[in-house]
């Protein structure tokens, strides 16, 4: 499990060229991945559809519409969200370009849940948060199998100039669900990668 603070701003991704298929920070995800775009109409998926092991994907969060409730837009890859909304943060403390689309935990602040239909071996998300954030992972039986997090100075508050950023990742399990929890704080997810 890795957890480290990132001192630099993340580059906003409005459109990715094939030559730019890299994460914004150093990671084992640097090899080419599939970019998964949101689907808004119901798809008739082949029941034999399976995800190949070692497939790496990046969810194209930048393609979501501002203020769109995010739930089933990535279900064609077996990924669904709970308590999520897409937006472009106006609070400068989030240290993002104004046109960067992210996912915020809402309407229930500070709790974001992502479920996987197909077992996931590794996840990586870039988080900006006003409070300490915990990433928890659960197996097919709903048992918590791993946890990592980012710590934040207890002196930080919503008037702070810059909220801390962290890359949170977990690997080595057949994950069926993850949660990001920021107790009594604001949480955004910008850049999300999955390996099956």
């Amino acid at each position: 499990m890795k957890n480290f603070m990132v001192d630099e701003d993340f580059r906003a991704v409005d459109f990715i060229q094939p030559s730019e298929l890299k994460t914004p920070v150093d990671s084992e995800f640097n090899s080419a991945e599939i970019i998964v775009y949101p689907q808004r109409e119901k798809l008739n998926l082949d029941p034999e559809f399976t995800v190949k092991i070692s497939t790496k994907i990046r969810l194209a969060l930048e393609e979501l519409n501002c203020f769109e409730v995010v739930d089933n837009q990535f279900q064609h890859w077996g990924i669904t969200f709970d308590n999520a909304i897409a937006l472009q943060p106006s609070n400068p403390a989030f240290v993002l370009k104004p046109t960067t689309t992210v996912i915020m935990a809402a309407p229930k602040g500070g709790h974001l849940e992502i479920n996987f239909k197909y077992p996931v071996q590794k996840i990586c998300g870039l988080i900006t948060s006003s409070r300490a954030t915990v990433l928890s992972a659960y197996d097919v039986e709903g048992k918590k199998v791993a946890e990592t997090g980012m710590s934040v100075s207890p002196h930080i508050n919503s008037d702070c100039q810059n909220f801390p950023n962290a890359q949170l990742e977990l690997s080595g399990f057949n994950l069926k669900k993850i949660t990001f929890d920021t107790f009594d704080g604001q949480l955004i997810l910008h850049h999300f990668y999955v390996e099956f």
Side-chain angles (χ1 to χ4, degrees):
M1 291 187 270
K2 294 180 182 176
N3 177 23
F4 56 89
M5 298 304 292
V6 178
D7 295 324
E8 63 209 24
D9 298 346
F10 296 118
R11 180 174 58 85
V13 179
D14 295 322
F15 181 77
I16 288 195
Q17 299 293 333
S19 61
E20 297 181 280
L21 292 177
K22 295 180 181 173
T23 60
V25 292
D26 291 333
S27 167
E28 293 174 22
F29 279 91
N30 277 348
S31 60
E33 70 271 342
I34 297 169
I35 299 175
V36 176
Y37 293 90
Q39 300 288 323
R40 290 175 181 84
E41 65 272 353
K42 208 159 185 140
L43 299 175
N44 292 322
L45 295 180
D46 181 347
E48 298 298 317
F49 175 79
T50 55
V51 176
K52 293 181 181 177
I53 293 176
S54 298
T55 300
K56 299 175 185 180
I57 66 171
R58 179 183 70 82
L59 300 189
L61 303 180
E62 69 275 8
E63 295 296 321
L64 294 167
N65 297 320
C66 199
F67 302 112
E68 176 178 2
V69 173
V70 182
D71 48 22
N72 298 318
Q73 288 89 333
F74 300 99
Q75 71 179 350
H76 53 296
W77 276 83
I79 300 172
T80 57
F81 288 77
D82 186 40
N83 194 51
I85 189 168
L87 54 78
Q88 295 175 349
S90 58
N91 184 342
F94 282 114
V95 194
L96 295 171
K97 291 183 181 177
T99 58
T100 303
T101 302
V102 300
I103 291 181
M104 177 174 263
K108 180 183 174 188
H111 175 81
L112 176 63
E113 181 176 312
I114 305 172
N115 293 281
F116 307 106
K117 180 177 180 180
Y118 310 105
V120 167
Q121 301 306 310
K122 184 173 183 177
I123 66 95
C124 177
L126 300 179
I127 298 294
T128 301
S129 175
S130 63
R131 300 251 187 233
T133 298
V134 175
L135 167 60
S136 303
Y138 301 84
D139 64 12
V140 291
E141 297 169 352
K143 178 182 167 191
K144 186 187 288 187
V145 293
E147 185 175 273
T148 189
M150 66 180 274
S151 58
V152 173
S153 166
H155 306 294
I156 209 164
N157 59 44
S158 58
D159 297 328
C160 171
Q161 278 192 325
N162 296 320
F163 291 152
N165 298 309
Q167 174 177 289
L168 298 180
E169 62 182 69
L170 290 172
S171 61
F173 304 96
N174 288 323
L175 306 178
K176 291 295 277 186
K177 177 177 90 170
I178 61 167
T179 60
F180 293 95
D181 287 293
T182 301
F183 306 100
D184 296 323
Q186 299 172 333
L187 157 73
I188 62 169
L189 171 65
H190 43 111
H191 304 92
F192 185 64
Y193 301 82
V194 172
E195 182 175 341
F196 295 96

